[in-house]
Amino acid sequence: MLENDTIAAIATPSGEGGLGIVRLSGPGTFDVLPKIFVPATPVSWPSVAGHTLHHGRIVRRTDDGPPSPFDDVVVGVFRAPRSYTGEDVAEITCHGGTLIIQSVLDLCLKSGARLAEPGEFTKRSFLNGKLDLVQAEAVADLIAARSESFRKTAFDQLQGRLSKTLQELRRELLDILAHLEANLDFVEDDIPALEKEPARIRICALEERANALLESYREGKILREGIRVTLTGRPNVGKSSLFNALLQEDRAIVSDVPGTTRDRLEESLIVQGVSVVLHDTAGLRSMTDGSSSGVETEGIRRARQSLERADVVLFVIDSSSEWTREDSDILEMIRGKNTVWVLNKSDRPPRFKPDDIIALAGKGVPSIPASAVTGDGVPVLKQAILKSLPALSQGLRSMEKETPPSITNRRHAGLIETARDSLRSAAAAIGRGEADECVASDLRKALEALSELTGDKVVEDVLKTIFSRFCVGK
Ligand code: GDP
């Protein structure tokens, strides 16, 4: 699987910037570089030291006449195997103009390099054993991280914490399997039979660890994808004002005419490092009293969908006016959902006593007095949103202390689930006193799943899918 050509790609985002980087990697790196780069101080490329910087000029050579200088650059040099890819690498830092960067790349390609595929640098790093597959995938996650929590998990994975746990599981599994297979191969020899109960206990312990990882995936999913919060309530209670207050900016249109709020808005904010995706619904007015038409408008459909998908529903009421039939109807619709009540317009004299709210909302349902106009109560509301999700609180707590590493990737979760199920089945087979061969076959399945996960045994197609997620130049 090892590749031996030399690849090149732009490693910085497109557009203008102070600097741009073109990266070269492969055994021919120091054949390509001297063709396009003239260092200010002469360098003997075949023996150039790694981890060094070289100032000089990119030049364009023509068939006739001297080479013409093109840009002033600094080239970072890394020698195999002490580089990101494990190969010889050069990173050309040029001025960050689109034309310049593209031209430097073109010069590399004309001088013997091939354009890298998406993720190919990281793929080579994996193929050369610098990173295992889990770590390689963490690179893409780290780059894509939009929230502190996700960044931390991805960085942990890149550092190899998850890989270490997975390797421990694999080793333990291999050990149990080796025992069992020794038994199978040498039944006639005088090898002590596998002591069944201790093996079963070891397998169950592995199953439990796999389960814990799967559990972390569930928690991590919220951290990674963010919480979906949907604002609902009858017209004019202050949903769009609150939406803005939560975002601390005035983006939505606020109006005094009931029912004129635009269809739906979606914005993201970060609360305590967690990404919160905020939806505002419209159309609920017709949703509750417009049954006469019998037809659901697109707005209503989307409002319903948003409510269905919400992790938290913010039920907004106007605490300065009477409870209405419409409030009741909407409340009925969101029954059973994870709800936080917002007693909005708290800057005005209240019409409700705390007991009234408990009577309406039910015991234990959080209700937060707030004013979208003055901003009072908005920070408390943000906290209440996070608190309403126990799995999230758990996830946040784990972020603060040193906890076992967590799973964030669906591919990983799928394979761990397969491993967990096979382990469960192996333990059950022992419990039923089935033949060692059946147990071994389940254990092998579990091992295969773990090996595919870490990349110890993985097919090219899987690699292709994984690395196609990456950007070119990574
Ligand atoms: P929506 O229809 O639920 O989205 O309500 P809007 O956000 O459009 O607000 C309706 C009216 O209530 C506007 O005139 C807002 O200025 C006003 N409003 C919203 N929140 C508050 C609040 O906390 N206090 C007061 N006094 N007025 C508010």
Side-chain angles (χ1 to χ4, degrees), residues 7-12 19-26 29-30 33 36-37 45 51-56 58 72-79 82-94 104 108 121 473-474:
I7 52 173
I10 297 168
T12 38
L19 300 171
I21 295 177
V22 174
R23 205 184 219 178
L24 272 166
S25 177
T29 295
F30 299 116
L33 195 60
I36 63 167
F37 174 63
W45 291 113
H51 293 82
T52 52
L53 290 178
H54 305 267
H55 174 231
I58 293 292
D72 227 11
V73 302
V74 171
V75 177
V77 165
F78 305 87
R79 298 304 304 249
R82 295 188 58 214
S83 71
Y84 181 67
T85 56
E87 305 172 326
D88 283 341
V89 167
E91 289 176 1
I92 305 169
T93 305
C94 52
V104 172
C108 291
F121 292 92
K474 189 61 228 177

Side-chain angles (χ1 to χ4, degrees), residues 254-274:
V254 181
S255 93
D256 275 326
V257 189
T260 54
T261 320
R262 71 287 111 203
D263 256 10
R264 186 190 69 174
L265 275 182
E266 180 173 316
E267 292 283 351
S268 297
L269 65 153
I270 302 283
V271 183
Q272 274 188 22
V274 179

Side-chain angles (χ1 to χ4, degrees), residues 29 61 110 165 183 245 259 314 326 328 330 349 375 397 410 462:
T29 295
R61 294 180 198 276
K110 278 189 194 130
T165 301
N183 268 15
L314 292 188
E326 261 183 292
S328 292
I330 293 172
R397 271 198 299 280
R410 189 177 306 158
V462 173

Side-chain angles (χ1 to χ4, degrees), residues 233-242 253-262 280-281 316 318 320 344-348 370-375:
R234 67 176 163 83
N236 244 15
V237 291
K239 293 182 298 299
S240 24
S241 310
L242 203 61
I253 311 148
V254 181
S255 93
D256 275 326
V257 189
T260 54
T261 320
R262 71 287 111 203
D280 188 2
T281 55
V316 187
D318 179 348
S320 69
N344 193 35
K345 309 199 184 180
S346 67
D347 53 298
R348 290 189 184 159
S371 167
V373 166
T374 65

